[in-house]
Amino acid sequence: MTLALGAQAENLVIVELYTSQGCSSCPPADEFVERLAADPKVLPLSLHVDYWDYIGWADSFAQGRFTDRQKAYARAIGSRTIYTPQFIVGGLDRVEGFAPVETVDLLERHLAGSSQVRLTVTREGDRLVIRAEADPPLTEPVRVQLVRYVPEETVTIERGENAGKTITYFNVVTSWEHVADWAGVEPLDLSTPAPGSDPAVVVLQNEGPAAILAAAQAD
């Protein structure tokens, strides 16, 4: 399948993949992240959960906070179940399992949309300057979040469901931090520490977690 996603779209669409090195059905989804990342208007992010660690292999990227984030998405829609792999597109649309056609269809819908929020992120040394404006003003505050990730890591898995496999993971999230809340009435202008060379992206998202209104990579 060839991806031809939204060359004219204005907004960066965030695609979260909840995955695990211990999940036998996850490798095709992990590989798909690289294909999604080929579009400059799409930023797929791999969040490794820890609830498969018990079956014999502790995921070297897993963090409990990523499991908590996935659970929060489930609670936001009244669900009591979570899955791997699971894609969440734009903070709203969920795809359980590896369903590339459905995922691309959702991406195209998000890329064709528009946002009332304009966001820019620039780097000044070890800090990021975040500026945003909403037109019209927002009716509820949004969370300003800073995400750091590693573009590529290869892991040889020795035990568990994927024992014996060597898998390359893409855009592996190392931190997802709440920086501030923004009411969306007056323009946003703030700076936050972002040391190191790992890529950084700022995500403005409704509480829930719910819709991602804007996202931008650091220059």
Side-chain angles (χ1 to χ4, degrees):
M1 181 181 61
T2 300
L3 295 178
L5 297 177
Q8 302 303 315
E10 295 181 356
N11 298 308
L12 183 65
V13 178
I14 300 294
V15 182
E16 300 168 56
L17 169 62
Y18 290 88
T19 185
S20 172
Q21 293 170 12
C23 163
S24 62
S25 57
C26 285
D30 297 317
E31 182 180 358
F32 190 56
V33 169
E34 182 183 26
R35 297 171 63 190
L36 294 178
D39 190 307
K41 294 297 184 182
V42 177
L43 181 59
L45 296 168
S46 300
L47 293 97
H48 286 243
V49 298
D50 61 359
Y51 51 83
W52 288 115
D53 289 0
Y54 78 96
I55 61 175
W57 178 255
D59 189 314
S60 56
F61 306 135
Q63 296 187 35
R65 69 178 65 186
F66 301 152
T67 299
D68 292 342
R69 181 172 173 84
Q70 189 185 23
K71 288 179 177 178
Y73 270 121
R75 287 194 300 270
I77 61 167
S79 173
R80 300 183 65 180
T81 56
I82 53 177
Y83 308 82
T84 55
Q86 181 187 47
F87 288 97
I88 297 181
V89 182
L92 283 179
D93 293 308
R94 296 153 172 79
V95 180
E96 276 76 44
F98 180 50
V101 173
E102 181 182 355
T103 304
V104 169
D105 286 346
L106 290 170
L107 271 170
E108 289 178 337
R109 214 176 305 164
H110 281 265
L111 286 165
S114 60
S115 174
Q116 69 197 86
V117 176
R118 297 183 60 185
L119 170 67
T120 61
V121 182
T122 55
R123 179 173 288 281
E124 295 184 358
D126 284 343
R127 300 188 69 84
L128 299 183
V129 177
I130 304 167
R131 296 186 173 94
E133 294 185 7
D135 184 17
L138 303 182
T139 57
E140 58 182 294
V142 295
R143 295 170 67 87
V144 182
Q145 301 163 105
L146 174 62
V147 183
R148 307 299 299 272
Y149 64 93
V150 176
E152 183 175 325
E153 289 280 0
T154 299
V155 177
T156 298
I157 300 171
E158 299 174 0
R159 295 179 300 279
E161 291 186 354
N162 289 317
K165 294 182 179 179
T166 297
I167 301 174
T168 299
Y169 297 94
F170 301 93
N171 292 3
V172 178
V173 175
T174 56
S175 66
W176 194 302
E177 304 292 341
H178 176 212
V179 174
D181 292 316
W182 176 45
V185 178
E186 299 296 329
L188 174 68
D189 190 343
L190 64 84
S191 68
T192 189
S197 59
D198 287 349
V201 61
V202 173
V203 176
L204 305 185
Q205 185 171 22
N206 285 139
E207 288 282 359
I212 293 174
L213 300 188
Q217 293 266 30
D219 291 345

